Amino acid sequence: MKQRIVDVLSIPFINTTKDQLVKDMNQRISRNEKTFVVTANPEIVEYANAHPEYKDILMNADYIVPDGIGIIMASKLMKQPLLERITGFDLLHDLLELADQHAYRVYFLGAEQNVIEKAADILQRDYPNMILAGYHHGYISVDDAELAASIAAAEPDIIITALGFPRQEEWVTLHNPLFEKGLFMGVGGSFDVIAGKVNRAPDIWQKLNLEWMYRLIQQPSRWKRMLVLPKFALKVLSKRK
């Protein structure tokens, strides 16, 4: 039997397939169980290990999902291979497919106003049976309790936050008590991709695990964030030894 959790530099990743994870999440949604999902890559692991308060947030998540080929490679180097890479973008669409099948209520939070409007329109068209409980741009204060209360009042079954880490996870942790139910998941810049503001890497880049390079070419300003990758790799190699 495969190990259910694999630690990568002290962050516990769920060791499962995307299909099984989606089934598990659907069961939790149908039972009105509050669920906190974090899709984590090496940047998030490095940030968490450097910021104890953020790491505490991650440790309280119901699922930490391996989003990032670096996490998969690290697990293999440590001889605890994770079964599958599960990207936040793909998981988002799987959740929306569930919403379409079961008429779940979904709320979108994040991105610029014109981006979230366009993304919401596209997703409502693509998933017509999904109930759009509402949406709001991401230029907010994380501690805006009034906005959070209005989102809770919409009684969403799925709450998608696209505020970028660490803000999206901080928002969920801070306002989770206001909600009686709901699956919460942060998706970074996914709404920008859905709205066409940013292009997702073509399939060939994805198959070669070079999405990170494609994003860097599209957004050169990300180069500073990429500096954590060699640090992450060195720590994994050191731990392996």
Side-chain angles (χ1 to χ4, degrees):
M1 183 176 179
K2 291 289 185 180
Q3 185 179 347
R4 183 68 172 169
I5 295 294
V6 170
D7 273 13
V8 176
L9 298 184
S10 78
I11 303 300
F13 284 86
I14 185 73
N15 189 23
T16 189
T17 63
K18 183 165 68 73
D19 288 347
Q20 184 58 53
L21 178 60
V22 171
K23 288 179 183 177
D24 292 347
M25 293 194 300
N26 188 40
Q27 289 178 357
R28 292 178 68 97
I29 295 169
S30 66
R31 295 194 297 258
N32 290 332
E33 292 182 44
K34 283 198 283 188
T35 305
F36 180 22
V37 182
V38 175
T39 61
N41 57 19
E43 291 176 71
I44 288 179
V45 171
E46 281 292 286
Y47 188 89
N49 282 317
H51 297 82
E53 290 184 0
Y54 183 67
K55 187 172 183 178
D56 287 344
I57 288 174
L58 262 57
M59 300 303 278
N60 285 312
D62 296 286
Y63 301 103
I64 301 179
V65 178
D67 180 352
I69 190 60
I71 301 297
I72 301 300
M73 293 174 66
S75 72
K76 290 179 179 178
L77 284 171
M78 294 186 294
K79 302 190 184 304
Q80 299 182 72
L82 287 157
L83 289 171
E84 188 176 322
R85 180 189 175 199
I86 304 173
T87 72
F89 190 82
D90 292 334
L91 196 53
L92 167 61
H93 283 284
D94 285 336
L95 284 171
L96 297 181
E97 183 65 37
L98 290 179
D100 194 53
Q101 292 171 6
H102 302 283
Y104 289 145
R105 298 175 60 81
V106 183
Y107 196 100
F108 300 130
L109 174 64
E112 299 171 356
Q113 180 65 31
N114 64 318
V115 169
I116 193 63
E117 286 178 357
K118 186 173 181 181
D121 285 345
I122 291 170
L123 294 173
Q124 185 71 87
R125 180 198 66 203
D126 291 348
Y127 304 98
N129 296 317
M130 170 189 77
I131 299 173
L132 184 59
Y135 59 84
H136 195 282
H137 64 76
Y139 289 81
I140 62 170
S141 170
V142 169
D143 59 2
D144 186 340
E146 185 176 348
L147 173 61
S150 71
I151 296 173
E155 299 184 341
D157 299 293
I158 300 170
I159 303 93
I160 302 298
T161 60
L163 305 174
F165 84 88
R167 294 178 71 239
Q168 58 197 21
E169 290 80 28
E170 290 170 349
W171 187 93
V172 171
T173 299
L174 183 61
H175 301 297
N176 182 286
L178 294 172
F179 294 76
E180 294 185 1
K181 63 175 182 177
L183 183 144
F184 301 80
M185 186 174 78
V187 295
S190 292
F191 292 143
D192 288 335
V193 176
I194 292 166
K197 181 180 178 181
V198 175
N199 294 323
R200 194 182 187 194
D203 288 345
I204 186 63
W205 290 70
Q206 295 179 44
K207 289 177 181 177
L208 293 172
N209 297 314
L210 292 174
E211 285 177 274
W212 62 271
M213 184 181 291
Y214 186 86
R215 290 186 68 187
L216 183 60
I217 292 170
Q218 279 203 305
Q219 299 172 292
S221 60
R222 293 177 58 88
W223 72 269
K224 288 184 179 179
R225 293 177 58 178
M226 295 299 178
L227 293 177
V228 305
L229 298 179
K231 293 180 182 178
F232 173 83
L234 286 172
K235 287 180 181 177
V236 170
L237 291 171
S238 175
K239 189 174 180 66
R240 183 192 183 194
K241 291 179 182 178

